[in-house]
Amino acid sequence: MNKDRGMLKWQPALMLPELKKLHEQVTQDYFRVSKPILDEYLIQEIEEQITYSMEYILPVTITLYNDGFPKDIKGFFVYLDPINKKIKFELEDQTFLNIKFSDILDIMVHE
């Protein structure tokens, strides 16, 4: 039976900073996902959840597309700009974030 040492055999090769940086970049690119295309029904559902949470001031969890990786953030909607399609969002730590509507993948309203 052939016993493989896994990543241990590559550790001496990662001693050079350039190779270590390249290895981290390749590993990160491996887990990167392409941006999903949202259909009209899902976009309408997201818009309804946004208006519902703004009307009743409910906390939400938003899944954003962040350079190939989905990112979940929690907070409240503050302002909706329908012309520029941007949303002003207040995070749990009372900081504000401007979000493009096209970056939103999913919304979960917490009642």
Side-chain angles (χ1 to χ4, degrees), residues 38-46:
L38 304 178
D39 61 346
E40 290 182 27
Y41 175 74
L42 189 57
I43 291 172
Q44 183 179 359
E45 186 176 323
I46 288 172

mmCIF file of all heavy atoms in Angstrom, residues 38-46:
data_model
loop_
_atom_site.group_PDB
_atom_site.id
_atom_site.type_symbol
_atom_site.label_atom_id
_atom_site.label_comp_id
_atom_site.label_asym_id
_atom_site.label_seq_id
_atom_site.Cartn_x
_atom_site.Cartn_y
_atom_site.Cartn_z
ATOM 1 N N LEU A 38 -29.870 35.706 -11.769
ATOM 2 C CA LEU A 38 -31.160 35.682 -11.084
ATOM 3 C C LEU A 38 -32.283 35.884 -12.088
ATOM 4 O O LEU A 38 -32.211 36.773 -12.935
ATOM 5 C CB LEU A 38 -31.207 36.781 -10.024
ATOM 6 C CG LEU A 38 -30.097 36.760 -8.972
ATOM 7 C CD1 LEU A 38 -30.244 37.938 -8.026
ATOM 8 C CD2 LEU A 38 -30.095 35.464 -8.205
ATOM 9 N N ASP A 39 -33.326 35.079 -11.972
ATOM 10 C CA ASP A 39 -34.468 35.248 -12.871
ATOM 11 C C ASP A 39 -35.400 36.343 -12.332
ATOM 12 O O ASP A 39 -35.232 36.837 -11.221
ATOM 13 C CB ASP A 39 -35.209 33.932 -13.061
ATOM 14 C CG ASP A 39 -35.780 33.383 -11.772
ATOM 15 O OD1 ASP A 39 -35.390 33.869 -10.699
ATOM 16 O OD2 ASP A 39 -36.624 32.479 -11.841
ATOM 17 N N GLU A 40 -36.381 36.725 -13.128
ATOM 18 C CA GLU A 40 -37.279 37.827 -12.773
ATOM 19 C C GLU A 40 -38.074 37.535 -11.505
ATOM 20 O O GLU A 40 -38.311 38.436 -10.698
ATOM 21 C CB GLU A 40 -38.234 38.112 -13.925
ATOM 22 C CG GLU A 40 -37.573 38.730 -15.126
ATOM 23 C CD GLU A 40 -38.573 39.039 -16.233
ATOM 24 O OE1 GLU A 40 -39.758 39.268 -15.912
ATOM 25 O OE2 GLU A 40 -38.147 39.042 -17.387
ATOM 26 N N TYR A 41 -38.479 36.290 -11.323
ATOM 27 C CA TYR A 41 -39.249 35.926 -10.143
ATOM 28 C C TYR A 41 -38.431 36.134 -8.875
ATOM 29 O O TYR A 41 -38.921 36.681 -7.885
ATOM 30 C CB TYR A 41 -39.722 34.473 -10.237
ATOM 31 C CG TYR A 41 -40.412 33.993 -8.991
ATOM 32 C CD1 TYR A 41 -41.704 34.426 -8.680
ATOM 33 C CD2 TYR A 41 -39.771 33.140 -8.105
ATOM 34 C CE1 TYR A 41 -42.343 34.005 -7.526
ATOM 35 C CE2 TYR A 41 -40.395 32.711 -6.952
ATOM 36 C CZ TYR A 41 -41.675 33.143 -6.668
ATOM 37 O OH TYR A 41 -42.291 32.732 -5.527
ATOM 38 N N LEU A 42 -37.182 35.707 -8.891
ATOM 39 C CA LEU A 42 -36.327 35.851 -7.720
ATOM 40 C C LEU A 42 -36.013 37.319 -7.441
ATOM 41 O O LEU A 42 -35.996 37.740 -6.280
ATOM 42 C CB LEU A 42 -35.033 35.056 -7.912
ATOM 43 C CG LEU A 42 -34.122 34.917 -6.706
ATOM 44 C CD1 LEU A 42 -34.873 34.288 -5.532
ATOM 45 C CD2 LEU A 42 -32.922 34.082 -7.047
ATOM 46 N N ILE A 43 -35.796 38.106 -8.491
ATOM 47 C CA ILE A 43 -35.544 39.535 -8.308
ATOM 48 C C ILE A 43 -36.775 40.206 -7.692
ATOM 49 O O ILE A 43 -36.647 41.034 -6.781
ATOM 50 C CB ILE A 43 -35.160 40.188 -9.651
ATOM 51 C CG1 ILE A 43 -33.787 39.686 -10.096
ATOM 52 C CG2 ILE A 43 -35.162 41.710 -9.538
ATOM 53 C CD1 ILE A 43 -33.395 40.112 -11.488
ATOM 54 N N GLN A 44 -37.963 39.860 -8.151
ATOM 55 C CA GLN A 44 -39.184 40.428 -7.600
ATOM 56 C C GLN A 44 -39.359 40.018 -6.136
ATOM 57 O O GLN A 44 -39.756 40.832 -5.299
ATOM 58 C CB GLN A 44 -40.393 39.979 -8.411
ATOM 59 C CG GLN A 44 -41.696 40.584 -7.931
ATOM 60 C CD GLN A 44 -42.870 40.127 -8.777
ATOM 61 O OE1 GLN A 44 -42.719 39.375 -9.729
ATOM 62 N NE2 GLN A 44 -44.055 40.583 -8.411
ATOM 63 N N GLU A 45 -39.034 38.786 -5.822
ATOM 64 C CA GLU A 45 -39.141 38.318 -4.445
ATOM 65 C C GLU A 45 -38.168 39.067 -3.534
ATOM 66 O O GLU A 45 -38.520 39.446 -2.411
ATOM 67 C CB GLU A 45 -38.862 36.813 -4.392
ATOM 68 C CG GLU A 45 -39.097 36.206 -3.040
ATOM 69 C CD GLU A 45 -38.895 34.707 -3.053
ATOM 70 O OE1 GLU A 45 -39.247 34.058 -4.048
ATOM 71 O OE2 GLU A 45 -38.374 34.200 -2.053
ATOM 72 N N ILE A 46 -36.959 39.311 -4.009
ATOM 73 C CA ILE A 46 -35.967 40.067 -3.236
ATOM 74 C C ILE A 46 -36.466 41.491 -3.007
ATOM 75 O O ILE A 46 -36.368 42.030 -1.900
ATOM 76 C CB ILE A 46 -34.601 40.054 -3.950
ATOM 77 C CG1 ILE A 46 -33.973 38.662 -3.854
ATOM 78 C CG2 ILE A 46 -33.665 41.097 -3.353
ATOM 79 C CD1 ILE A 46 -32.715 38.484 -4.675
#
